[in-house]
Amino acid sequence: NIDYEVVDWDYSQHCDGGFDGKHYLGLSRSEFTFGKTASTGTTTIVINLENNDVGATLCDVDGNSASHPWLSTAVNGAKVEISAAKNDDNEPRVGYIKVQSASKPRLMIIVKVQQYHSDDMLITFSPSVIMAPSTASSDKTTTGTFTFPSGT
């Protein structure tokens, strides 16, 4: 016999997910792109385990432990906080963070973090917000909210 349970999944709020039988782990974002300046980001965790035993560690693209001295992460309640130090290198860099349940290790998502060596051309898109560096100072960001027509 096969036992099953339908699990509702709201893709509009969780872009990436992992499943282990009837259990799931989801994140609101699984990729971050930062400019040269020191930056932070947050992704929201959703998990259907009674004990929210989710941890975040630095890793390589395959989920193996790795060192990224410029990158740090911490789980704070239902959020994963990500911090990238200023990029003084002359090239972009990429790091990865493994978000994983301790009691259900197959519940795992790899978060990709990219950081460019310049702020000159960085433009970040989300469903309704476009952010781009201000021309007045490379340490400032200009944010505008735009309404896009349906179907675009």
Side-chain angles (χ1 to χ4, degrees), residues 76-99:
N76 186 2
K79 296 193 181 292
V80 177
E81 298 170 346
I82 299 165
S83 297
K86 182 179 178 183
N87 186 355
D88 288 324
D89 298 338
N90 287 327
E91 57 187 56
R93 53 192 180 189
V94 178
Y96 299 90
I97 298 169
K98 177 170 53 176
V99 179

Side-chain angles (χ1 to χ4, degrees), residues 10-147:
D10 185 353
Y11 281 103
S12 67
Q13 295 195 16
H14 306 101
C15 70
D16 206 351
F19 293 88
D20 182 6
K22 65 181 182 177
H23 302 289
Y24 61 84
L25 167 68
L27 296 177
S28 59
R29 292 180 67 185
S30 62
E31 189 166 329
F32 291 83
T33 303
F34 298 128
K36 177 180 181 141
T37 57
S39 303
T40 60
T42 303
T43 185
T44 303
I45 303 167
V46 63
I47 189 166
N48 69 340
L49 293 174
E50 288 185 23
N51 60 337
N52 184 7
D53 64 349
V54 175
T57 57
L58 302 179
C59 67
D60 64 17
V61 69
D62 296 318
N64 302 309
S65 181
S67 174
H68 306 293
W70 56 275
L71 186 60
S72 63
T73 186
V75 175
N76 186 2
K79 296 193 181 292
V80 177
E81 298 170 346
I82 299 165
S83 297
K86 182 179 178 183
N87 186 355
D88 288 324
D89 298 338
N90 287 327
E91 57 187 56
R93 53 192 180 189
V94 178
Y96 299 90
I97 298 169
K98 177 170 53 176
V99 179
Q100 185 175 34
S101 165
S103 63
K104 300 283 185 186
R106 291 191 334 182
L107 292 178
M108 176 184 72
I109 300 170
I110 304 294
V111 176
K112 181 179 181 180
V113 181
Q114 300 178 93
Q115 187 178 31
Y116 291 103
H117 60 289
S118 171
D119 286 326
D120 292 342
M121 293 302 295
L122 179 67
I123 299 176
T124 305
F125 294 91
S126 71
S128 63
V129 177
I130 297 176
M131 295 185 349
S134 167
T135 56
S137 168
S138 63
D139 291 335
K140 301 289 182 190
T141 300
T142 301
T143 303
T145 302
F146 300 86
T147 303

